[in-house]
Amino acid sequence: MISKELILMKKAIAASLAAVVSITSLASSATAESMDDLQQKQAQSESKIDGLEEKLAELQKNMEVKKKELEGIQVELDKTDGHIKETQAKIETIKQEITVLLGEMEKTKKELDKKKVILAKNVRLMYVEGNASMMEYLFSTDDPSKILYRFQSLNYVAKANKQLFDEVREQVDKLKSQKKALDERKEVQEKQKAALQTLRNTQEGQKQDQLKVIGELAKLEESLHDDINQEKAVMDGIESQIAAESQRLAEERQRYSEQNPGADAPPNPTVG
């Protein structure tokens, strides 16, 4: 007959074992919830990093496009600068030609002044005393040969005066025409230079706009890198927590096995 004390002892031992199993199950359940939370946070962090890296890749692609556009603008800007330099060189050449021409005009003017003096003297000889004096000069002799000679002389002087006058006018007109042509060429080049300068200003504005956009994209790129690094740091922290929790669960299972030889292991959450 089993004694009353033995029965009571068995009941106490059974109650103790039941309490241990109940406490272990509760602890495992609480751990399972904690691990699930960590794994959910890990998945959310991974998703966030993927999204940030996708944005970063798209931004970097856009930056490459803008840099290519900037390179194209710079090429056109360099071409325009080259055209401006060529045009300025042409302007300087024309200015030099004008300077040379002005020197020739001054030299010719002095020669013309001399010819004008001669012309004035000839004119005075012919007209200082009027047509009456010319008639008196012609017919102041009865010798026909002298009259003819005097007529020829007057005719020669008249022709010489006309030739001299034509030469003076021709030289003046020629120099004026050359000066006008050079002035027109210079004006054309000045207008071309002004148009090129306007184009350059436009291109420079486009360049500055592109640089501004690229600068803003670079700041955004830096910000995304910071966000990614921060999120990776969060991920590292979560992974460390998961590793620690996994270690704790393994140690708990080991202790349970040692305390309950041959018993089933307590339920535990899936470890990521």
Side-chain angles (χ1 to χ4, degrees):
M1 190 77 178
I2 302 173
S3 66
K4 186 176 180 181
E5 289 81 2
L6 183 58
I7 292 172
L8 291 174
M9 184 180 295
K10 288 182 177 179
K11 287 183 179 180
I13 292 171
S16 297
L17 289 173
V20 170
V21 171
S22 177
I23 291 170
T24 303
S25 298
L26 289 172
S28 298
S29 176
T31 301
E33 291 177 0
S34 176
M35 183 63 76
D36 286 341
D37 289 342
L38 289 172
Q39 290 174 331
Q40 184 177 2
K41 288 180 180 179
Q42 183 184 38
Q44 290 173 347
S45 183
E46 288 176 347
S47 177
K48 186 173 181 180
I49 290 174
D50 289 341
L52 289 170
E53 288 181 340
E54 184 177 346
K55 286 183 179 180
L56 179 61
E58 185 65 26
L59 181 142
Q60 290 173 335
K61 182 179 178 181
N62 191 18
M63 280 186 69
E64 288 302 316
V65 172
K66 294 300 180 183
K67 287 179 180 179
K68 288 290 183 183
E69 292 176 355
L70 179 61
E71 289 175 2
I73 293 173
Q74 187 61 54
V75 168
E76 294 302 318
L77 191 57
D78 291 341
K79 287 181 180 178
T80 302
D81 284 338
H83 292 322
I84 290 175
K85 288 181 180 178
E86 290 176 2
T87 303
Q88 185 60 43
K90 291 178 181 179
I91 292 173
E92 293 303 320
T93 299
I94 293 173
K95 285 181 177 180
Q96 292 176 2
E97 292 178 7
I98 290 175
T99 300
V100 172
L101 181 62
L102 289 174
E104 292 178 356
M105 289 179 68
E106 184 63 27
K107 181 179 178 181
T108 304
K109 182 177 178 297
K110 292 179 180 179
E111 294 176 357
L112 293 180
D113 289 340
K114 293 178 180 179
K115 292 183 177 180
K116 286 179 181 179
V117 171
I118 296 173
L119 180 59
K121 287 181 178 179
N122 290 339
V123 170
R124 281 198 299 271
L125 287 174
M126 293 181 63
Y127 300 108
V128 68
E129 296 182 1
N131 291 333
S133 297
M134 291 176 60
M135 296 299 292
E136 290 177 359
Y137 172 71
L138 283 173
F139 299 108
S140 61
T141 179
D142 295 331
D143 187 348
S145 61
K146 288 184 178 181
I147 293 175
L148 179 60
Y149 172 78
R150 291 178 180 180
F151 177 77
Q152 290 175 339
S153 297
L154 291 173
N155 189 46
Y156 173 79
V157 171
K159 287 182 178 180
N161 284 345
K162 184 178 184 305
Q163 182 179 355
L164 185 60
F165 177 79
D166 290 341
E167 288 178 0
V168 171
R169 184 175 62 183
E170 181 180 354
Q171 288 180 309
V172 171
D173 291 344
K174 181 180 179 180
L175 290 172
K176 285 183 179 180
S177 177
Q178 290 177 345
K179 176 66 165 52
K180 181 180 178 182
L182 287 173
D183 286 340
E184 289 174 351
R185 283 174 57 194
K186 182 172 177 289
E187 183 179 0
V188 169
Q189 295 300 325
E190 291 285 2
K191 287 181 179 179
Q192 185 176 353
K193 180 185 176 183
L196 287 169
Q197 189 62 52
T198 299
L199 175 61
R200 191 194 186 287
N201 293 341
T202 300
Q203 292 171 337
E204 183 64 32
Q206 293 173 343
K207 176 183 176 181
Q208 294 305 319
D209 290 342
Q210 287 295 96
L211 287 173
K212 182 178 180 181
V213 170
I214 291 173
E216 291 172 352
L217 290 175
K219 290 180 181 179
L220 184 56
E221 180 186 28
E222 183 179 357
S223 176
L224 284 172
H225 276 300
D226 290 341
D227 291 343
I228 290 172
N229 291 334
Q230 289 176 6
E231 196 59 35
K232 284 183 177 179
V234 172
M235 172 72 80
D236 291 341
I238 293 172
E239 290 176 348
S240 296
Q241 287 180 289
I242 290 175
E245 188 65 13
S246 296
Q247 178 67 26
R248 190 188 68 78
L249 289 173
E251 292 173 354
E252 181 182 300
R253 285 194 297 270
Q254 180 66 27
R255 283 196 304 272
Y256 181 84
S257 297
E258 291 173 353
Q259 294 172 2
N260 303 279
D264 294 335
N268 63 285
T270 302
V271 179

